[in-house]
Amino acid sequence: MERTFVMVKPDGVQRGLIGEIVSRFEARGLKLAGARLELLPEERVIEQYREHREKPFFPGLAAYIMSGPCFLMAWEGKGAVAVVRRMIGATNPAEAAPGSIRGDFALDIGRNVIHASDSPESAARELGIHFAPGELVDYKKIDESVIYE
Ligand code: UDP
Ligand code: MG
């Protein structure tokens, strides 16, 4: 089983999309391992988006992410990192497939509602930035026998 880091960004929180987004991951069969609503401090925003630090859009991105609370989650399941990336859709919502979260709820690349880790390595790194060891919950979900063969 794999875990991935997912975050509803401030635009998604303000637009009341947390419930809809959580529902989609639950309905897919993924298991929630942890969640928290939080105003992110600048150090963790810089750390999360470290690869983009020198890009021209970085100051605007950091200001957007710190403009209000984010809803941080850890989701677990078979191939969770790639499955969730497909569910959130392309970075630019104008190109995101209908049926994906960005393809259904966003229009602008700078207000694309949700973040998800792009590889198992990023997932481990990002979960480590935002969740303390022991904060994520290990438990058995009773529907596993009908979700997995
Ligand atoms: N972003 C932006 N302008 C750009 C590229 C990216 O505002 O030209 C923002 C956007 O919010 C995106 C985030 O920076 O989600 C991180 O970019 P990345 O390429 O990692 O996309 P993601 O992994 O979120 O799909
Ligand atoms: Mg990315």
Side-chain angles (χ1 to χ4, degrees):
M1 289 297 151
E2 205 168 71
R3 273 181 182 164
T4 189
F5 175 68
V6 186
M7 181 176 100
V8 182
K9 295 176 176 179
D11 51 335
V13 173
Q14 291 294 338
R15 291 173 58 198
L17 294 173
I18 293 174
E20 165 75 32
I21 287 168
V22 168
S23 288
R24 287 184 178 212
F25 296 133
E26 284 186 322
R28 188 70 191 265
L30 294 165
K31 177 165 80 177
L32 189 64
R36 185 181 344 110
L37 184 75
E38 191 182 1
L39 264 172
L40 292 183
E42 189 172 24
E43 313 83 73
R44 272 160 58 210
V45 175
I46 292 170
E47 196 49 32
Q48 181 181 313
Y49 287 114
R50 172 168 88 167
E51 60 179 309
H52 299 306
R53 207 169 168 181
E54 304 306 324
K55 310 243 174 87
F57 62 81
F58 183 80
L61 170 63
Y64 156 49
I65 297 300
M66 293 186 294
S67 67
C70 292
F71 190 67
L72 288 59
M73 296 163 279
W75 285 97
E76 189 177 309
K78 191 173 176 182
V81 173
V83 163
V84 168
R85 277 299 283 199
R86 296 199 70 199
M87 289 177 75
I88 76 169
T91 304
N92 184 354
E95 288 155 20
S100 68
I101 292 166
R102 287 165 171 169
D104 286 349
F105 299 114
L107 287 168
D108 198 353
I109 192 165
R111 297 289 182 272
N112 61 2
V113 169
I114 188 162
H115 166 87
S117 307
D118 63 5
S119 67
E121 296 70 35
S122 311
R125 195 181 76 82
E126 293 172 2
L127 287 168
I129 294 169
H130 298 291
F131 291 102
E135 189 178 354
L136 300 183
V137 185
D138 265 315
Y139 64 105
K140 186 158 175 59
K141 214 156 155 287
I142 58 167
D143 59 10
E144 277 164 23
S145 66
V146 286
I147 287 173
Y148 297 107
E149 67 175 6

